[in-house]
Coordinates of all heavy atoms in Angstrom, one line a residue:
Chain B
G56 N 43.5 127.0 145.8 CA 44.2 126.5 144.6 C 44.1 125.0 144.4 O 44.8 124.4 143.6
V57 N 43.3 124.4 145.3 CA 43.2 122.9 145.2 C 42.4 122.5 144.0 O 42.7 121.5 143.4 CB 42.6 122.3 146.5 CG1 42.5 120.8 146.4 CG2 43.5 122.7 147.7
V58 N 41.4 123.2 143.7 CA 40.5 122.9 142.6 C 40.3 124.2 141.8 O 40.6 125.3 142.2 CB 39.1 122.4 143.0 CG1 39.3 121.1 143.8 CG2 38.3 123.4 143.7
W59 N 39.9 124.0 140.5 CA 39.5 125.2 139.7 C 38.2 124.8 139.0 O 37.9 123.6 138.8 CB 40.5 125.6 138.7 CG 40.9 124.6 137.7 CD1 41.7 123.6 137.8 CD2 40.3 124.5 136.4 NE1 41.7 122.8 136.6 CE2 40.9 123.4 135.7 CE3 39.3 125.3 135.7 CZ2 40.5 123.1 134.4 CZ3 39.0 124.9 134.4 CH2 39.6 123.8 133.8
R60 N 37.4 125.8 138.7 CA 36.1 125.5 138.1 C 35.7 126.5 137.0 O 36.3 127.6 137.0 CB 35.0 125.6 139.2 CG 35.5 126.2 140.5 CD 34.6 126.0 141.7 NE 33.7 124.9 141.6 CZ 32.5 125.0 142.1 NH1 32.1 126.1 142.7 NH2 31.6 124.0 142.0
H61 N 34.9 126.1 136.2 CA 34.4 126.9 135.1 C 33.0 126.5 134.6 O 32.7 125.3 134.5 CB 35.4 126.9 133.9 CG 35.1 127.9 132.9 ND1 35.3 129.3 133.1 CD2 34.5 127.9 131.7 CE1 35.0 130.0 132.0 NE2 34.4 129.1 131.1
V62 N 32.2 127.5 134.4 CA 30.8 127.3 134.0 C 30.8 126.4 132.7 O 31.6 126.7 131.8 CB 30.1 128.6 133.7 CG1 28.6 128.4 133.4 CG2 30.3 129.6 134.8
G63 N 30.0 125.4 132.7 CA 29.9 124.6 131.5 C 31.0 123.5 131.4 O 30.8 122.5 130.7
K64 N 32.1 123.7 132.1 CA 33.1 122.7 132.1 C 33.0 121.7 133.2 O 32.8 120.5 133.1 CB 34.5 123.3 132.1 CG 35.0 124.0 130.8 CD 36.4 124.5 131.1 CE 37.2 125.0 130.0 NZ 37.2 125.2 128.7
G65 N 33.1 122.3 134.4 CA 33.0 121.5 135.6 C 34.0 121.9 136.7 O 34.6 123.0 136.6
T66 N 34.2 121.1 137.6 CA 35.2 121.3 138.7 C 36.4 120.4 138.5 O 36.1 119.2 138.4 CB 34.6 121.2 140.1 OG1 33.4 122.0 140.1 CG2 35.5 121.6 141.2
F67 N 37.6 120.9 138.6 CA 38.8 120.0 138.4 C 39.8 120.2 139.5 O 39.8 121.3 140.1 CB 39.4 120.3 137.1 CG 38.5 120.2 135.9 CD1 37.6 121.2 135.6 CD2 38.6 119.0 135.1 CE1 36.8 121.0 134.5 CE2 37.8 118.9 134.0 CZ 36.9 119.9 133.7
T68 N 40.5 119.2 139.8 CA 41.6 119.3 140.8 C 42.9 119.9 140.1 O 43.0 119.8 138.9 CB 42.0 118.0 141.4 OG1 42.4 117.1 140.4 CG2 40.8 117.4 142.1
G69 N 43.8 120.4 140.8 CA 45.0 120.9 140.3 C 44.8 122.3 139.8 O 43.8 123.0 140.1
E70 N 45.8 122.8 139.0 CA 45.8 124.2 138.6 C 45.1 124.3 137.2 O 45.1 123.4 136.4 CB 47.3 124.6 138.4 CG 47.9 124.8 139.8 CD 49.2 125.6 139.6 OE1 49.5 126.0 138.5 OE2 49.8 125.9 140.7
R71 N 44.5 125.4 137.1 CA 43.8 125.8 135.9 C 44.8 125.8 134.7 O 45.8 126.5 134.8 CB 43.1 127.1 136.0 CG 42.8 127.8 134.7 CD 42.1 129.1 134.9 NE 40.7 129.0 135.2 CZ 40.2 129.2 136.3 NH1 40.9 129.5 137.4 NH2 38.9 129.1 136.5
P72 N 44.6 125.0 133.7 CA 45.5 125.1 132.6 C 45.3 126.4 131.8 O 44.2 126.8 131.6 CB 45.1 123.9 131.7 CG 43.7 123.7 132.0 CD 43.5 124.1 133.5
I73 N 46.4 127.0 131.4 CA 46.3 128.2 130.6 C 46.0 127.8 129.2 O 46.3 126.6 128.8 CB 47.7 128.9 130.6 CG1 48.4 128.6 131.9 CG2 47.5 130.4 130.4 CD1 49.8 129.2 131.9
D74 N 45.4 128.7 128.5 CA 45.1 128.3 127.1 C 46.3 128.0 126.4 O 47.1 128.9 126.0 CB 44.3 129.5 126.4 CG 45.0 130.8 126.8 OD1 45.9 130.8 127.6 OD2 44.6 131.8 126.1
T75 N 46.6 126.7 126.2 CA 47.8 126.3 125.6 C 47.9 126.7 124.1 O 48.8 126.3 123.4 CB 48.0 124.8 125.7 OG1 47.0 124.2 124.9 CG2 47.9 124.3 127.1
V76 N 46.9 127.4 123.7 CA 46.9 127.7 122.3 C 47.6 129.0 122.1 O 47.1 130.1 122.5 CB 45.4 127.9 121.8 CG1 45.4 127.8 120.3 CG2 44.5 127.0 122.5
A77 N 48.8 129.0 121.5 CA 49.5 130.2 121.2 C 48.9 130.8 120.0 O 49.4 130.8 118.9 CB 51.0 129.9 121.0
D78 N 47.7 131.3 120.2 CA 46.9 131.7 119.1 C 47.5 132.9 118.4 O 47.3 134.0 118.8 CB 45.4 132.0 119.5 CG 44.5 131.7 118.4 OD1 44.9 131.5 117.3 OD2 43.3 131.7 118.7
V79 N 48.2 132.7 117.3 CA 48.8 133.8 116.6 C 47.7 134.7 116.0 O 47.8 135.9 116.1 CB 49.6 133.2 115.4 CG1 50.0 134.3 114.5 CG2 50.8 132.5 116.0
N80 N 46.6 134.1 115.6 CA 45.5 134.9 115.1 C 45.0 135.9 116.1 O 44.7 137.0 115.8 CB 44.4 134.0 114.5 CG 44.8 133.2 113.3 OD1 45.7 133.6 112.6 ND2 44.2 132.0 113.2
A81 N 44.8 135.4 117.3 CA 44.4 136.3 118.4 C 45.4 137.5 118.6 O 44.9 138.6 118.7 CB 44.2 135.5 119.7
M82 N 46.7 137.1 118.6 CA 47.6 138.2 118.7 C 47.5 139.2 117.5 O 47.6 140.4 117.7 CB 49.1 137.6 118.7 CG 49.4 136.8 119.9 SD 51.1 136.3 119.9 CE 51.1 134.8 120.9
V83 N 47.4 138.6 116.3 CA 47.3 139.5 115.1 C 46.2 140.5 115.3 O 46.3 141.7 114.9 CB 47.1 138.6 113.9 CG1 46.8 139.5 112.7 CG2 48.4 137.8 113.6
Q84 N 45.0 140.0 115.8 CA 43.9 140.9 115.9 C 44.1 142.0 116.9 O 43.5 143.1 116.8 CB 42.6 140.1 116.2 CG 42.2 139.3 114.9 CD 40.9 138.5 115.2 OE1 40.5 138.3 116.4 NE2 40.3 138.0 114.2
R85 N 44.8 141.7 118.0 CA 45.0 142.7 119.0 C 46.1 143.7 118.8 O 46.1 144.8 119.3 CB 45.3 142.0 120.4 CG 44.1 141.3 121.0 CD 44.3 141.1 122.5 NE 43.6 139.9 122.9 CZ 44.1 138.7 122.9 NH1 45.3 138.5 122.5 NH2 43.4 137.6 123.3
T86 N 47.1 143.3 117.9 CA 48.3 144.2 117.9 C 48.3 145.0 116.6 O 47.3 145.1 115.9 CB 49.5 143.3 117.8 OG1 50.7 144.1 118.1 CG2 49.6 142.5 116.5
N87 N 49.3 145.7 116.4 CA 49.5 146.6 115.2 C 50.9 146.7 114.8 O 51.8 146.3 115.6 CB 48.9 148.0 115.6 CG 49.6 148.6 116.8 OD1 50.8 148.9 116.7 ND2 48.8 148.8 117.9
P88 N 51.2 147.3 113.7 CA 52.6 147.3 113.2 C 53.6 148.0 114.2 O 54.8 147.5 114.3 CB 52.5 148.1 111.9 CG 51.2 147.8 111.4 CD 50.3 147.7 112.6
L89 N 53.2 149.0 114.9 CA 54.1 149.7 115.8 C 54.5 148.7 117.0 O 55.6 148.7 117.4 CB 53.4 150.9 116.4 CG 54.1 152.2 115.9 CD1 54.0 152.4 114.4 CD2 53.5 153.4 116.6
E90 N 53.4 148.0 117.5 CA 53.7 147.1 118.5 C 54.7 146.0 118.1 O 55.5 145.5 118.8 CB 52.4 146.5 119.1 CG 51.7 147.3 120.1 CD 50.6 146.5 120.8 OE1 50.5 145.3 120.5 OE2 50.0 147.0 121.7
V91 N 54.5 145.6 116.8 CA 55.3 144.5 116.3 C 56.8 145.0 116.3 O 57.7 144.3 116.8 CB 54.9 144.1 114.9 CG1 55.9 143.2 114.3 CG2 53.5 143.5 114.9
M92 N 57.0 146.2 115.9 CA 58.4 146.7 115.9 C 58.9 146.8 117.3 O 60.1 146.5 117.6 CB 58.5 148.1 115.2 CG 58.6 148.0 113.7 SD 59.8 146.9 113.1 CE 61.3 147.5 113.9
G93 N 58.0 147.3 118.2 CA 58.5 147.4 119.6 C 58.9 146.0 120.2 O 59.9 145.9 120.9
A94 N 58.1 145.0 119.8 CA 58.4 143.7 120.3 C 59.7 143.2 119.7 O 60.6 142.6 120.4 CB 57.3 142.7 120.0
R95 N 59.9 143.5 118.4 CA 61.2 143.0 117.8 C 62.4 143.7 118.4 O 63.4 143.1 118.7 CB 61.1 143.4 116.3 CG 60.2 142.6 115.5 CD 60.4 142.9 114.0 NE 61.6 142.3 113.5 CZ 62.1 142.4 112.2 NH1 61.4 143.3 111.4 NH2 63.2 141.9 111.9
I96 N 62.2 145.0 118.7 CA 63.3 145.8 119.3 C 63.6 145.3 120.7 O 64.8 145.3 121.2 CB 63.0 147.3 119.3 CG1 63.0 147.8 117.9 CG2 64.0 148.0 120.2 CD1 62.5 149.3 117.8
A97 N 62.6 144.8 121.4 CA 62.8 144.3 122.7 C 63.4 142.9 122.7 O 64.3 142.5 123.5 CB 61.5 144.3 123.5
F98 N 63.0 142.1 121.7 CA 63.3 140.7 121.7 C 64.5 140.3 121.0 O 65.4 139.6 121.5 CB 62.1 139.9 121.2 CG 62.2 138.4 121.3 CD1 62.5 137.8 122.5 CD2 61.9 137.6 120.2 CE1 62.6 136.4 122.6 CE2 62.0 136.2 120.3 CZ 62.4 135.7 121.5
E99 N 64.6 140.7 119.7 CA 65.7 140.2 118.8 C 67.1 140.5 119.3 O 68.0 139.7 119.1 CB 65.4 140.6 117.4 CG 64.1 140.0 116.8 CD 64.0 140.1 115.3 OE1 65.1 139.9 114.6 OE2 62.9 140.3 114.8
P100 N 67.3 141.7 119.8 CA 68.7 142.0 120.3 C 69.2 140.9 121.3 O 70.3 140.5 121.3 CB 68.6 143.4 120.9 CG 67.5 144.0 120.2 CD 66.5 142.9 119.9
E101 N 68.3 140.5 122.2 CA 68.7 139.5 123.2 C 68.9 138.1 122.5 O 69.8 137.4 123.0 CB 67.6 139.4 124.3 CG 67.5 140.6 125.1 CD 68.8 141.1 125.7 OE1 69.5 140.3 126.3 OE2 69.1 142.3 125.5
V102 N 68.2 137.9 121.5 CA 68.4 136.6 120.7 C 69.8 136.7 120.1 O 70.6 135.8 120.1 CB 67.3 136.4 119.7 CG1 67.6 135.2 118.8 CG2 66.0 136.3 120.3
A103 N 70.1 137.9 119.5 CA 71.4 138.1 118.9 C 72.5 137.9 120.0 O 73.6 137.3 119.7 CB 71.5 139.4 118.3
R104 N 72.3 138.4 121.2 CA 73.3 138.2 122.2 C 73.6 136.7 122.5 O 74.7 136.3 122.6 CB 72.8 138.9 123.5 CG 73.8 138.9 124.6 CD 73.2 139.3 125.9 NE 72.4 140.6 125.9 CZ 73.0 141.8 126.1 NH1 74.3 141.9 126.4 NH2 72.3 142.9 126.0
C105 N 72.5 136.0 122.6 CA 72.7 134.5 122.8 C 73.4 133.9 121.6 O 74.3 133.0 121.8 CB 71.3 133.8 123.0 SG 70.5 134.2 124.5
A106 N 73.0 134.3 120.4 CA 73.6 133.8 119.2 C 75.1 134.1 119.2 O 75.9 133.2 118.8 CB 73.0 134.4 118.0
A107 N 75.5 135.2 119.7 CA 77.0 135.6 119.7 C 77.7 134.6 120.6 O 78.9 134.2 120.4 CB 77.2 137.0 120.2
L108 N 77.0 134.1 121.6 CA 77.7 133.2 122.6 C 77.8 131.8 122.0 O 78.8 131.1 122.3 CB 76.9 133.2 123.9 CG 76.9 134.5 124.7 CD1 76.1 134.3 126.0 CD2 78.3 135.0 125.0
Y109 N 76.8 131.4 121.3 CA 76.7 130.0 120.9 C 76.8 129.6 119.5 O 76.8 128.4 119.1 CB 75.4 129.4 121.5 CG 75.3 129.6 123.0 CD1 74.3 130.3 123.5 CD2 76.2 129.0 123.9 CE1 74.1 130.5 124.9 CE2 76.1 129.1 125.2 CZ 75.1 129.9 125.7 OH 74.9 130.1 127.1
A110 N 76.8 130.6 118.6 CA 76.8 130.3 117.1 C 77.9 129.4 116.7 O 79.1 129.6 117.1 CB 76.8 131.6 116.3
T111 N 77.6 128.4 115.8 CA 78.7 127.6 115.3 C 79.3 128.3 114.0 O 78.7 129.2 113.5 CB 78.1 126.2 114.8 OG1 77.2 126.5 113.7 CG2 77.3 125.6 116.0
A112 N 80.4 127.8 113.6 CA 81.1 128.4 112.4 C 80.1 128.3 111.2 O 80.0 129.2 110.4 CB 82.4 127.7 112.2
G113 N 79.5 127.1 111.1 CA 78.6 126.9 110.0 C 77.5 127.9 110.0 O 77.1 128.4 108.9
Q114 N 76.9 128.2 111.2 CA 75.8 129.1 111.2 C 76.3 130.5 110.8 O 75.6 131.3 110.1 CB 75.2 129.1 112.6 CG 74.3 127.9 112.8 CD 74.0 127.6 114.3 OE1 74.7 128.0 115.2 NE2 72.9 127.0 114.5
V115 N 77.5 130.9 111.3 CA 78.0 132.2 110.9 C 78.2 132.3 109.3 O 77.8 133.3 108.7 CB 79.3 132.5 111.6 CG1 80.0 133.8 111.0 CG2 79.1 132.6 113.1
A116 N 78.7 131.2 108.8 CA 78.8 131.1 107.3 C 77.5 131.3 106.7 O 77.3 132.0 105.6 CB 79.5 129.8 106.9
E117 N 76.4 130.6 107.2 CA 75.1 130.8 106.6 C 74.6 132.2 106.7 O 74.0 132.7 105.8 CB 74.1 129.8 107.3 CG 72.9 129.7 106.5 CD 72.0 128.6 107.1 OE1 72.4 127.9 108.0 OE2 70.9 128.4 106.6
M118 N 74.9 132.9 107.8 CA 74.5 134.3 107.9 C 75.1 135.1 106.9 O 74.5 135.9 106.2 CB 74.9 134.8 109.3 CG 74.2 134.2 110.5 SD 74.8 134.8 112.1 CE 74.3 133.5 113.2
R119 N 76.4 134.9 106.6 CA 77.1 135.6 105.6 C 76.5 135.4 104.2 O 76.4 136.3 103.4 CB 78.6 135.3 105.6 CG 79.3 135.7 106.9 CD 80.8 136.1 106.7 NE 81.4 136.7 107.8 CZ 82.1 136.1 108.7 NH1 82.4 134.8 108.7 NH2 82.6 136.8 109.8
N120 N 76.2 134.1 104.0 CA 75.6 133.7 102.7 C 74.2 134.5 102.6 O 73.9 135.0 101.5 CB 75.3 132.2 102.7 CG 74.7 131.8 101.4 OD1 75.1 132.3 100.3 ND2 73.7 130.9 101.4

Side-chain angles (χ1 to χ4, degrees):
Chain B
V57 178
V58 302
W59 65 275
R60 13 194 19 216
H61 188 74
V62 187
K64 283 181 171 5
T66 306
F67 302 79
T68 62
E70 290 196 355
R71 158 183 279 109
I73 333 175
D74 44 351
T75 65
V76 202
D78 209 349
V79 171
N80 292 332
M82 293 188 205
V83 168
Q84 287 182 344
R85 285 197 210 94
T86 192
N87 58 63
L89 248 64
E90 277 195 0
V91 173
M92 277 314 302
R95 289 189 73 186
I96 291 173
F98 185 51
E99 295 198 38
E101 296 306 310
V102 176
R104 187 193 305 272
C105 291
L108 297 180
Y109 303 116
T111 67
Q114 285 166 332
V115 172
E117 193 172 354
M118 292 177 204
R119 293 210 168 100
N120 181 44

